[in-house]
Amino acid sequence: MRAMWKGAVSFGLVNVPVKMYTATSSHDISFHQVHRTDGGRIRYKRTCDVCGEEVSYDDIAKGYESPEGQLVILTDEDIAELPLSGSREIEVERFVPAEQIDPMLLEKSYYLEPEKTGVKPYALLREALRASDRMALVHVAIRQRSTLAVLRVYDDVIVLQTMLWPDEVRPADFDNLGSTDDLRPQEVAMASSLVDSMTGDYDPSEFEDDYRDAVERLVEAKLAGGDARDVPVPAHDDRGGGQVVDLMAALQRSVDAARASRGQAPAPATETKAADRAEEAAEEPTAEATGEATEEATEKAPAKRSAAKRSSGRAPAKKTAAKQTAAKKTAAKQTAAKSTAKTTKKAASTKTTTKKAASRRTA
C-alpha cells in the first residue's frame, strides 16, 4: 500500500510519527456512459455558462453563492489560510468510553502505521486504548479539511475513523414506532427464542457480494459472445411478505426454520402452550374479586375466555362459563358465610362483656 498522508499523533507530551493508509476499498463494477448506437464514450466538457468557453482546471476556483444571490470566490490561497487546513498533526482531545461513540457517527477508516522512530510510543498508545476500552477523540486535517475522528484498535493496528458532526445526523422523528404495551409476554418470549436460535459468530468468509458476482459473469458472457440470458443469476431467497396475521405463528415458524438450518430439532410445542397458559392464568380474577363481581360481569368474563379457548381446541364456551359461574357463586357463598360467622362471634363477645360488667356492679 502507498501512504496517502504523513504526520504525527500527539497526546500530552507524547508524539507518535505515523503514516496513514486507506483501510477500505470498493469492489463494485464501474461503468462508463457510452452512445448506445456506436459505443462511443460520453464526455463532459467544463464550460462557462457566461462566456460559453471551455475552462481548464487551472482556471477553476471555488465559489459560494449566498441565499441572497451574491457570489463569493475562494482561491487556493484563501483555503490555505483556514485553521488546521495544512496541519500534519492528529491532536487527541480526550479519551472517551467506546460505548459513547455511536456507529452511525463513523465514516471512512484509515490505518496508521508508525514510523521507525515511533514504534514504541505507538505500541504504548495501542495497548493503553485496548486496556482501557476507550477511543481517542481527535482532530485531523485530511485533504485540507479539518474533521473530527476517533482512534481505536483493530487487531494490532491503530485505526483512524473520521466522524460526522453531531448536526449531520438527522433526528429520527417518526409518529409511530410501536409500543411495548401492545406486545404480549409470549410474543416477546418467542422473539427472544428466535434471537437465541439464530445467534452465532461473524465469519467474513461466509458472506459474498452476489450482485457483483452476477455482474461479472454477465460481462464475461458478453465478452465471450454469449447471450446474457444464459448467465446464471443467484436464486432469490423469498421468505414471504405482506402483512403478518398471526405473529406468534410466524415467530414459531422462524424459530423452527432457524433450528432446522443448524440441524437442531424444532422447538417443542409445549413451550408455546405453557406460555399461553401462563398468560391466561395471569388474566384469571382472584377469589375475592369474584365474590364482589356482579352477575353481569360474571357472565361476560367466562364467555370472553371461552372464545379464546375455542381457538385452542378446548372445552365449549357454555360448559366453561357454567363451571366458572358455579365456582364464583360458591366463592361468594363462602365469603358471605365467613362474614356471618365473624358477626356472630363479635356479638357473642359483646354479650359476654356486658354480663361481666353487670356482675361487677351488683357485687
Side-chain angles (χ1 to χ4, degrees):
M1 289 188 293
R2 182 178 178 181
M4 56 163 289
W5 185 94
K6 291 184 179 181
V9 178
S10 64
F11 60 104
L13 299 178
V14 181
N15 189 276
V16 186
V18 295
K19 294 181 286 186
M20 182 185 295
Y21 302 84
T22 302
T24 61
S25 61
S26 174
H27 291 166
D28 284 346
I29 306 298
S30 59
F31 296 97
H32 298 299
Q33 288 186 330
V34 297
H35 190 190
R36 186 185 300 275
T37 57
D38 55 18
R41 287 280 299 275
I42 304 300
R43 305 289 184 178
Y44 293 93
K45 294 183 178 181
R46 297 174 298 277
T47 58
C48 175
D49 61 358
V50 175
C51 63
E53 296 181 359
E54 187 174 353
V55 182
S56 65
Y57 279 113
D58 294 338
D59 293 331
I60 295 178
K62 291 181 173 63
Y64 173 79
E65 185 176 350
S66 69
E68 293 79 17
Q70 294 178 321
L71 180 65
V72 176
I73 298 178
L74 302 178
T75 63
D76 293 339
E77 292 75 13
D78 294 330
I79 300 297
E81 293 177 358
L82 294 176
L84 296 176
S85 61
S87 175
R88 290 288 176 173
E89 185 175 73
I90 303 174
E91 183 180 358
V92 176
E93 295 287 338
R94 68 196 65 173
F95 295 93
V96 299
E99 64 270 13
Q100 291 185 2
I101 305 298
D102 193 287
M104 185 179 291
L105 294 170
L106 301 179
E107 285 193 297
K108 196 169 180 59
S109 301
Y110 301 90
Y111 290 136
L112 297 184
E113 179 193 21
E115 298 278 9
K116 291 183 179 180
T117 58
V119 172
K120 185 173 182 179
Y122 180 94
L124 287 173
L125 175 59
R126 179 191 64 212
E127 296 308 315
L129 291 173
R130 179 178 288 159
S132 63
D133 193 23
R134 281 176 164 79
M135 295 184 182
L137 192 65
V138 303
H139 272 101
V140 61
I142 302 177
R143 298 186 178 93
Q144 297 185 335
R145 176 69 169 90
S146 177
T147 185
L148 199 62
V150 293
L151 301 181
R152 66 180 185 87
V153 180
Y154 175 77
D155 289 339
D156 285 335
V157 183
I158 295 178
V159 175
L160 182 145
Q161 282 192 270
T162 57
M163 297 175 60
L164 296 170
W165 296 99
D167 59 356
E168 292 179 315
V169 178
R170 295 179 179 178
D173 187 12
F174 302 104
D175 295 332
N176 185 17
L177 296 177
S179 173
T180 55
D181 297 335
D182 299 331
L183 303 177
R184 295 187 297 167
Q186 68 265 37
E187 291 174 343
V188 177
M190 186 61 69
S192 299
S193 178
L194 175 58
V195 171
D196 292 339
S197 63
M198 297 180 66
T199 298
D201 296 326
Y202 170 62
D203 183 0
S205 63
E206 296 179 359
F207 302 92
E208 58 184 14
D209 190 345
D210 293 337
Y211 177 79
R212 185 187 66 200
D213 293 343
V215 173
E216 289 177 348
R217 289 194 296 268
L218 176 62
V219 172
E220 290 173 0
K222 286 283 189 178
L223 292 174
D227 190 342
R229 290 172 295 182
D230 296 333
V231 176
V233 179
H236 177 63
D237 185 9
D238 189 1
R239 299 174 183 264
Q243 184 178 3
V244 178
V245 178
D246 190 340
L247 182 58
M248 279 299 297
L251 287 171
Q252 181 66 57
R253 289 196 298 269
S254 300
V255 171
D256 293 342
R259 293 195 178 191
S261 65
R262 295 178 174 226
Q264 300 175 351
T270 53
E271 294 181 5
T272 306
K273 293 181 179 179
D276 291 338
R277 288 196 295 270
E279 185 187 20
E280 291 175 0
E283 294 177 353
E284 290 287 344
T286 61
E288 182 179 356
T290 302
E292 295 176 356
T294 62
E295 187 67 22
E296 180 181 359
T298 304
E299 292 175 356
K300 288 182 179 179
K304 184 177 180 180
R305 284 192 296 272
S306 298
K309 292 180 179 179
R310 278 200 303 270
S311 62
S312 303
R314 298 183 180 178
K318 292 184 179 180
K319 292 184 179 181
T320 304
K323 290 181 179 179
Q324 292 183 354
T325 303
K328 292 180 178 181
K329 287 182 178 180
T330 301
K333 290 180 181 180
Q334 291 176 353
T335 303
K338 289 181 180 179
S339 178
T340 303
K342 288 181 179 179
T343 304
T344 304
K345 185 176 180 181
K346 185 175 181 180
S349 177
T350 303
K351 185 175 181 181
T352 303
T353 303
T354 304
K355 287 183 178 181
K356 290 181 178 179
S359 298
R360 291 194 189 98
R361 285 197 298 270
T362 304

